[in-house]
Amino acid sequence: MGEGPDRPRAGIVVTGSELLTGAISDANGPWLARRLADLGFEVAHVVSAGDRPEDLARALDFLAGAGVALIVTSGGLGPTADDLTAEVVAGFAGLDMVVDEDVRAQIDVILADWGARTGFAGPALDEATRKQATIPQGSTPLPPVGTAPGLVVDRPGGPLVVVLPGPPRELQGMWPSALEAPAFAALLATVPPAHPRLLRFFGLPESEIAATLREIEASTDVSGVEIGTCLRHSELEVDLRPRPGAEAVAEEVAREIVARHAGRLVSDVGATVDELLAQALLERGLTVATGESCTGGLLAGRLVDRAGSSAYVAGGVVAYSNEAKTALLDVPADMIETHGAVSPEVARALADGARRRFGADVGVGITGVAGPGGGTEAKPVGYVCFCVTTADGVVIARDPRLRGSRADIRERSVDTAMHLLLRAVAPRGGTA
């Protein structure tokens, strides 16, 4: 939604034949697109190109023809023969390739210890270092995070090209240096601030937001606001990005959406359930323990994925078999016999058992039929029982039927459990 752009346009080229064969998934394109959009660029294209230099050259020419002010590339900066991004970008910018001795010295320092430890020091390593230190003349090298330097290449007449390594850890680690490079910083100074608004809802269908937006459009001119919706981790994200001068309209639209769907609101400032839950547990000094069956530890993994989680995650048990449920989390065998392993009663017992086992303030139990087989008419595939209990007597239970493949059901079960936990420890902070 929204009329033509009046922000600088940017394009992204992710390189690597392994992306085109499906051997790996692209992590860099989405990450870069979000950062560029937050900086105020309109991301016009994300292009994947193989390792053939002519394909990368065509991608660069295409983006230049699309009128972008900035191109960011990822990949192709390594020491092997098919790592040709720097060379292709030099040709695109009309620049010669030269060895930068300062860059070479940096790489030598990085590789010296590795070469000594592995026994691979010698002519081959020297040649690899020389290749990675050969850069377009006049470009600004970015300090290596791995062994490959990045580049900022100021092409006469534009666009500016920022060349970053392919490994996501290295690319993300190099991003701050790229922003500080003089040519990139000068371009950023001309970009109007983005002022984005990101709303998150749980349990709200896209059709409801679509209907709300149609009603708002009937009385408000929203042509100056780009509005996107996306379902991520079972949360519906509503992304509002105003064009310069339309910030007040975006705020008005955000307020109206929140007012109409407050009961399903997770955050009106873009915070995720993971962030909100961690914050609530830390602020209240609470600990949580998990008793999982069908999710097989995915919830515990999600909880401990955040740095500092040892302050609030007490532990977890994967009790997949009936015997494990009884032996490890004290679920009565006769309860399983009477109600079945997948039942609200067993979910409650798993939550209580986990909380007692680890001496935690909050316990969560999950048991369900993840499929593709094992379902019955009464308990079909996707039927999952959840329960969260707290030491001070809060009990929140749900037993929805979740849709999708086995992987979908397990992932959505974790999403649901996260929101139930948030509701239990921060009643006004989440919905489920």
Side-chain angles (χ1 to χ4, degrees):
M1 214 174 272
E3 294 179 350
D6 57 358
R7 292 184 174 279
R9 289 159 62 87
I12 299 167
V13 183
V14 290
T15 69
S17 296
E18 65 276 11
L19 296 171
L20 301 180
T21 62
I24 64 171
S25 298
D26 172 34
N28 292 332
W31 190 89
L32 288 168
R34 172 63 72 176
R35 270 59 192 180
L36 291 173
D38 287 346
L39 289 171
F41 288 95
E42 186 213 354
V43 179
H45 300 280
V46 179
V47 181
S48 296
D51 291 322
R52 297 185 186 92
E54 59 270 24
D55 291 337
L56 175 55
R58 290 191 190 100
L60 295 172
D61 288 337
F62 165 74
L63 291 174
V68 301
L70 172 70
I71 298 174
V72 182
T73 73
S74 73
L77 294 179
T80 60
D82 60 351
D83 291 312
L84 296 171
T85 299
E87 182 178 331
V88 174
V89 170
F92 174 68
L95 302 173
D96 294 328
M97 294 287 284
V98 297
V99 176
D100 187 306
E101 293 299 337
D102 289 338
V103 171
R104 187 172 186 169
Q106 290 179 25
I107 301 174
D108 280 338
V109 170
I110 294 169
L111 290 178
D113 180 61
W114 178 84
R117 285 186 292 104
T118 61
F120 285 108
L125 187 60
D126 291 341
E127 180 56 32
T129 299
R130 185 180 189 280
K131 180 183 183 304
Q132 289 185 295
T134 303
I135 66 175
Q137 189 171 27
S139 63
T140 301
L142 303 174
V145 175
T147 62
L151 301 166
V152 177
V153 182
D154 196 357
R155 180 180 186 247
L160 183 71
V161 185
V162 177
V163 182
L164 300 175
R169 180 189 67 83
E170 295 182 23
L171 179 144
Q172 294 173 24
M174 192 177 287
W175 185 243
S177 296
L179 297 177
E180 294 173 357
F184 198 2
L187 176 59
L188 289 174
T190 69
V191 181
H195 299 298
R197 284 295 305 272
L198 182 60
L199 313 176
R200 296 184 189 272
F201 299 89
F202 182 72
L204 183 66
E206 286 186 275
S207 58
E208 291 295 315
I209 286 292
T212 295
L213 291 174
R214 285 194 297 270
E215 294 173 10
I216 292 174
E217 286 181 318
S219 58
T220 304
D221 179 9
V222 299
S223 60
V225 183
E226 295 182 17
I227 306 175
T229 60
C230 177
L231 191 64
R232 190 194 315 272
H233 290 308
S234 303
E235 292 178 357
L236 182 61
E237 297 181 355
V238 182
D239 195 2
L240 308 173
R241 294 187 175 270
R243 297 163 62 195
E247 291 83 3
V249 177
E251 287 297 318
E252 180 184 349
V253 172
R255 284 194 300 270
E256 184 64 24
I257 293 173
V258 169
R260 296 188 185 208
H261 303 288
R264 296 292 180 178
L265 180 69
V266 176
S267 171
D268 62 357
V269 293
T272 66
V273 65
D274 303 67
E275 294 166 339
L276 294 169
L277 179 56
Q279 179 183 355
L281 290 168
L282 286 170
E283 287 180 350
R284 295 188 59 189
L286 300 175
T287 56
V288 62
T290 63
E292 301 180 66
S293 183
C294 65
T295 47
L298 291 177
L299 175 60
R302 175 94 166 255
L303 288 168
V304 303
D305 198 42
R306 295 184 63 82
S309 57
S310 59
Y312 52 84
V313 178
V317 171
V318 176
Y320 207 66
S321 69
N322 291 346
E323 293 77 13
K325 291 177 176 66
T326 298
L328 299 176
L329 293 176
D330 300 323
V331 180
D334 59 353
M335 176 186 289
I336 297 175
E337 180 67 24
T338 301
H339 299 286
V342 179
S343 61
E345 291 81 3
V346 169
R348 168 73 185 270
L350 289 171
D352 287 337
R355 185 163 49 80
R356 287 192 299 266
R357 168 73 65 170
F358 292 99
D361 303 295
V362 184
V364 54
I366 309 174
T367 179
V369 185
T376 65
E377 184 175 350
K379 298 177 182 179
V381 170
Y383 177 66
V384 184
C385 300
F386 303 87
C387 191
V388 176
T389 66
T390 70
D392 56 2
V394 173
V395 178
I396 300 177
R398 297 287 186 274
D399 62 341
R401 184 181 180 188
L402 305 176
R403 305 290 180 176
S405 66
R406 179 180 179 86
D408 292 333
I409 291 167
R410 296 175 74 219
E411 180 181 344
R412 289 167 184 169
S413 294
V414 173
D415 296 337
T416 300
M418 292 289 288
H419 283 276
L420 290 172
L421 281 169
L422 180 60
R423 182 169 183 175
V425 301
R428 295 198 302 169
T431 61

